[in-house]
Coordinates of all heavy atoms in Angstrom, one line a residue:
V1 N 0.8 -1.2 0.0 CA 0.0 0.0 0.0 C 0.9 1.3 0.0 O 0.7 2.2 -0.8 CB -0.9 0.0 1.2 CG1 -1.7 1.3 1.3 CG2 -1.9 -1.1 1.2
L2 N 1.9 1.3 0.9 CA 2.7 2.5 1.1 C 3.8 2.6 0.0 O 4.5 3.6 0.0 CB 3.3 2.5 2.5 CG 2.3 2.5 3.6 CD1 3.0 2.4 4.9 CD2 1.5 3.8 3.5
S3 N 3.9 1.7 -0.9 CA 4.8 1.8 -2.0 C 4.2 2.5 -3.2 O 4.8 2.7 -4.3 CB 5.3 0.4 -2.5 OG 6.1 -0.1 -1.4
D4 N 2.9 3.0 -3.1 CA 2.2 3.7 -4.1 C 2.8 5.1 -4.3 O 2.7 5.9 -3.4 CB 0.7 3.8 -3.7 CG -0.1 4.6 -4.7 OD1 0.4 5.1 -5.7 OD2 -1.3 4.6 -4.5
P5 N 3.5 5.4 -5.4 CA 4.2 6.7 -5.6 C 3.2 7.9 -5.5 O 3.6 9.0 -5.1 CB 4.9 6.6 -6.9 CG 4.3 5.5 -7.6 CD 3.7 4.5 -6.6
A6 N 2.0 7.7 -5.9 CA 1.0 8.8 -5.9 C 0.8 9.4 -4.5 O 0.5 10.6 -4.4 CB -0.3 8.3 -6.5
I7 N 0.9 8.7 -3.5 CA 0.7 9.2 -2.1 C 1.8 10.1 -1.6 O 1.7 10.8 -0.6 CB 0.3 8.1 -1.1 CG1 1.4 7.1 -0.9 CG2 -1.0 7.4 -1.5 CD1 1.1 6.0 0.1
Y8 N 2.9 10.2 -2.4 CA 4.0 11.0 -2.0 C 4.2 12.3 -2.8 O 5.3 12.9 -2.9 CB 5.3 10.2 -2.0 CG 5.1 9.0 -1.1 CD1 4.9 7.7 -1.6 CD2 5.2 9.1 0.3 CE1 4.7 6.6 -0.8 CE2 4.9 8.0 1.2 CZ 4.7 6.8 0.6 OH 4.4 5.7 1.4
E9 N 3.1 12.7 -3.5 CA 3.1 13.8 -4.4 C 3.6 15.1 -3.6 O 4.3 16.0 -4.1 CB 1.8 14.1 -5.0 CG 1.6 15.3 -5.8 CD 0.2 15.5 -6.3 OE1 -0.7 14.6 -6.0 OE2 0.0 16.5 -6.9
H10 N 3.2 15.2 -2.3 CA 3.4 16.4 -1.5 C 4.5 16.3 -0.5 O 5.1 17.4 -0.1 CB 2.1 16.9 -0.8 CG 1.0 17.1 -1.8 ND1 0.9 18.3 -2.6 CD2 0.0 16.3 -2.2 CE1 -0.1 18.2 -3.3 NE2 -0.7 17.0 -3.2
E11 N 4.8 15.1 -0.1 CA 5.9 15.0 0.9 C 6.2 13.5 1.2 O 5.5 12.6 0.8 CB 5.5 15.7 2.3 CG 4.3 15.0 2.9 CD 3.9 15.8 4.2 OE1 4.8 16.1 5.0 OE2 2.7 16.0 4.4
N12 N 7.3 13.3 1.9 CA 7.8 12.0 2.3 C 8.2 11.1 1.1 O 8.3 11.6 0.0 CB 6.8 11.3 3.2 CG 6.6 12.1 4.5 OD1 7.5 12.8 5.0 ND2 5.3 12.1 5.0
A13 N 8.4 9.9 1.4 CA 8.9 8.9 0.4 C 8.4 7.5 0.9 O 8.1 7.3 2.0 CB 10.4 8.9 0.3
P14 N 8.3 6.6 -0.1 CA 7.9 5.3 0.3 C 8.8 4.6 1.3 O 10.0 5.1 1.4 CB 7.9 4.5 -1.0 CG 7.9 5.5 -2.1 CD 8.5 6.8 -1.5
P15 N 8.4 3.6 2.0 CA 9.3 2.9 2.9 C 10.5 2.4 2.2 O 10.4 1.9 1.1 CB 8.5 1.8 3.5 CG 7.1 1.9 3.0 CD 7.1 3.0 2.0
E16 N 11.7 2.4 2.9 CA 12.9 2.0 2.3 C 12.9 0.5 1.9 O 13.5 0.1 0.8 CB 14.1 2.2 3.3 CG 14.3 3.6 3.6 CD 15.3 3.7 4.8 OE1 16.1 2.8 5.1 OE2 15.4 4.8 5.3
S17 N 12.3 -0.3 2.7 CA 12.3 -1.7 2.4 C 11.2 -2.3 3.4 O 10.7 -1.7 4.3 CB 13.6 -2.4 2.8 OG 13.9 -2.3 4.2
L18 N 10.8 -3.6 3.1 CA 9.9 -4.3 3.9 C 10.5 -4.4 5.3 O 9.8 -4.2 6.3 CB 9.5 -5.7 3.3 CG 8.7 -6.6 4.2 CD1 7.3 -5.9 4.6 CD2 8.4 -7.9 3.5
Q19 N 11.7 -4.8 5.4 CA 12.4 -4.9 6.8 C 12.3 -3.6 7.5 O 12.0 -3.6 8.7 CB 13.8 -5.4 6.6 CG 14.5 -5.7 7.9 CD 13.8 -6.7 8.8 OE1 13.2 -7.7 8.2 NE2 13.9 -6.6 10.1
W20 N 12.6 -2.5 6.9 CA 12.6 -1.2 7.5 C 11.1 -0.9 8.1 O 11.0 -0.4 9.2 CB 13.0 -0.1 6.5 CG 12.9 1.3 7.1 CD1 14.0 2.0 7.7 CD2 11.8 2.2 7.1 NE1 13.5 3.2 8.1 CE2 12.2 3.4 7.8 CE3 10.5 2.1 6.7 CZ2 11.4 4.5 7.9 CZ3 9.7 3.2 6.9 CH2 10.1 4.4 7.5
L21 N 10.1 -1.2 7.3 CA 8.7 -0.9 7.7 C 8.4 -1.9 8.8 O 7.7 -1.4 9.8 CB 7.8 -1.1 6.5 CG 6.3 -0.7 6.8 CD1 6.2 0.8 7.1 CD2 5.4 -1.1 5.6
R22 N 8.8 -3.1 8.8 CA 8.5 -4.1 9.9 C 9.1 -3.6 11.2 O 8.4 -3.6 12.2 CB 9.0 -5.5 9.5 CG 8.6 -6.5 10.5 CD 9.0 -7.9 10.1 NE 8.2 -8.4 9.0 CZ 8.7 -8.6 7.8 NH1 10.0 -8.5 7.5 NH2 7.9 -9.1 6.8
E23 N 10.3 -3.1 11.1 CA 11.0 -2.6 12.3 C 10.3 -1.4 12.9 O 10.2 -1.2 14.1 CB 12.5 -2.4 12.0 CG 13.3 -3.7 11.8 CD 14.7 -3.5 11.3 OE1 15.1 -2.3 11.2 OE2 15.4 -4.5 11.1
R24 N 9.9 -0.5 12.0 CA 9.2 0.7 12.4 C 7.9 0.3 13.1 O 7.6 0.9 14.1 CB 8.9 1.6 11.2 CG 8.1 2.8 11.5 CD 8.1 3.9 10.4 NE 7.2 5.0 10.7 CZ 7.2 5.9 11.6 NH1 8.3 5.8 12.5 NH2 6.3 6.8 11.8
F25 N 7.1 -0.6 12.5 CA 5.9 -1.0 13.1 C 6.1 -1.6 14.5 O 5.4 -1.4 15.4 CB 5.1 -1.9 12.2 CG 4.4 -1.3 11.0 CD1 4.5 0.1 10.7 CD2 3.5 -2.0 10.2 CE1 3.8 0.7 9.7 CE2 2.8 -1.4 9.2 CZ 3.0 -0.1 8.9
E26 N 7.2 -2.4 14.6 CA 7.6 -3.0 15.9 C 7.8 -1.9 16.9 O 7.3 -2.0 18.1 CB 8.8 -3.9 15.8 CG 8.5 -5.2 15.1 CD 9.8 -6.0 14.9 OE1 10.9 -5.6 15.2 OE2 9.7 -7.1 14.3
R27 N 8.5 -0.9 16.6 CA 8.8 0.2 17.5 C 7.5 0.9 17.9 O 7.4 1.3 19.1 CB 9.8 1.2 16.9 CG 11.2 0.7 16.9 CD 12.2 1.9 16.5 NE 11.9 2.5 15.2 CZ 12.2 2.1 14.0 NH1 12.9 1.0 13.9 NH2 11.9 2.8 13.0
L28 N 6.6 1.1 17.0 CA 5.4 1.8 17.3 C 4.4 0.9 18.1 O 3.4 1.5 18.7 CB 4.7 2.2 16.0 CG 5.4 3.3 15.2 CD1 4.8 3.5 13.9 CD2 5.5 4.6 16.0
E29 N 4.6 -0.4 18.2 CA 3.8 -1.2 19.1 C 3.9 -0.9 20.5 O 3.0 -1.3 21.3 CB 4.1 -2.7 18.8 CG 3.6 -3.3 17.6 CD 3.8 -4.7 17.4 OE1 3.9 -5.5 18.4 OE2 3.8 -5.2 16.2
T30 N 4.8 -0.1 20.9 CA 4.9 0.4 22.3 C 3.7 1.3 22.7 O 3.3 1.4 23.8 CB 6.2 1.2 22.6 OG1 6.2 2.4 21.8 CG2 7.4 0.3 22.4
R31 N 3.2 1.9 21.6 CA 2.0 2.8 21.7 C 2.3 4.0 22.6 O 1.4 4.7 23.1 CB 0.8 2.1 22.3 CG 0.4 0.8 21.6 CD -0.2 1.0 20.2 NE -0.8 -0.2 19.7 CZ -0.3 -0.8 18.6 NH1 0.6 -0.3 17.9 NH2 -0.9 -1.9 18.2
C32 N 3.6 4.3 22.8 CA 4.0 5.4 23.7 C 5.4 5.9 23.4 O 6.3 5.2 22.9 CB 4.0 4.8 25.2 SG 4.5 5.9 26.5
S33 N 5.6 7.2 23.6 CA 6.9 7.8 23.3 C 7.8 7.3 24.4 O 7.4 6.9 25.5 CB 6.8 9.4 23.4 OG 6.3 9.8 24.7
G34 N 9.1 7.5 24.1 CA 10.1 7.0 25.0 C 10.1 7.6 26.4 O 10.3 6.9 27.4
D35 N 9.7 8.8 26.5 CA 9.6 9.5 27.8 C 8.2 9.3 28.5 O 7.9 9.8 29.6 CB 10.0 10.9 27.7 CG 9.0 11.8 26.9 OD1 8.0 11.2 26.4 OD2 9.3 13.0 26.7
G36 N 7.3 8.6 27.7 CA 5.9 8.4 28.3 C 5.0 9.6 28.2 O 3.9 9.5 28.7
S37 N 5.4 10.7 27.6 CA 4.6 11.9 27.6 C 3.5 11.9 26.5 O 2.5 12.7 26.6 CB 5.4 13.1 27.4 OG 6.0 13.1 26.1
E38 N 3.6 11.0 25.5 CA 2.6 10.9 24.4 C 2.2 9.5 24.2 O 3.0 8.6 24.3 CB 3.3 11.5 23.1 CG 3.7 12.9 23.2 CD 4.4 13.3 21.9 OE1 5.0 12.5 21.2 OE2 4.3 14.5 21.6
Q39 N 1.0 9.3 23.8 CA 0.5 8.0 23.3 C 0.6 8.1 21.8 O 0.2 9.0 21.2 CB -1.0 7.8 23.7 CG -1.1 7.5 25.2 CD -2.6 7.2 25.5 OE1 -3.4 8.1 25.4 NE2 -2.8 6.0 25.9
W40 N 1.1 7.0 21.2 CA 1.2 6.9 19.8 C 0.2 5.8 19.4 O 0.4 4.6 19.6 CB 2.6 6.4 19.4 CG 3.7 7.5 19.6 CD1 3.5 8.8 19.9 CD2 5.1 7.2 19.7 NE1 4.7 9.4 20.1 CE2 5.7 8.5 19.9 CE3 5.9 6.1 19.5 CZ2 7.1 8.6 20.0 CZ3 7.3 6.2 19.5 CH2 7.9 7.5 19.8
L41 N -0.8 6.2 18.8 CA -1.9 5.3 18.4 C -1.9 5.2 16.9 O -2.0 6.2 16.2 CB -3.2 5.9 18.9 CG -3.3 6.3 20.4 CD1 -4.6 7.0 20.8 CD2 -3.0 5.0 21.2
N42 N -1.9 3.9 16.4 CA -1.8 3.7 15.0 C -2.7 2.5 14.6 O -2.7 1.5 15.3 CB -0.3 3.2 14.6 CG 0.7 4.3 14.9 OD1 0.9 5.2 14.2 ND2 1.3 4.2 16.1
W43 N -3.5 2.7 13.6 CA -4.4 1.7 13.1 C -4.3 1.6 11.6 O -4.1 2.5 10.9 CB -5.9 2.1 13.4 CG -6.3 2.1 14.8 CD1 -6.9 1.0 15.5 CD2 -6.3 3.2 15.7 NE1 -7.2 1.4 16.8 CE2 -6.8 2.7 17.0 CE3 -5.9 4.5 15.7 CZ2 -6.9 3.5 18.1 CZ3 -6.0 5.3 16.8 CH2 -6.5 4.8 18.0

């Protein structure tokens, strides 16, 4: 889904690789910033 070039017309870039995206999603599974001040909610 995120490799679709049309969605980056205005900013950002597609994920570098499947492994990079998997690792990013793993980090986001904490649902919380490192200092605990923010909740990171992703669906």
Side-chain angles (χ1 to χ4, degrees):
V1 172
L2 297 175
S3 293
D4 177 356
I7 63 180
Y8 304 101
E9 175 184 357
H10 301 281
E11 64 182 315
N12 299 327
E16 298 172 14
S17 66
L18 174 56
Q19 184 61 30
W20 179 91
L21 188 62
R22 185 176 291 116
E23 290 171 4
R24 176 166 171 68
F25 282 8
E26 284 174 3
R27 285 190 306 275
L28 292 173
E29 282 184 26
T30 64
R31 312 283 190 242
C32 179
S33 62
D35 65 4
S37 66
E38 298 174 332
Q39 288 184 293
W40 294 343
L41 308 174
N42 300 277
W43 289 270

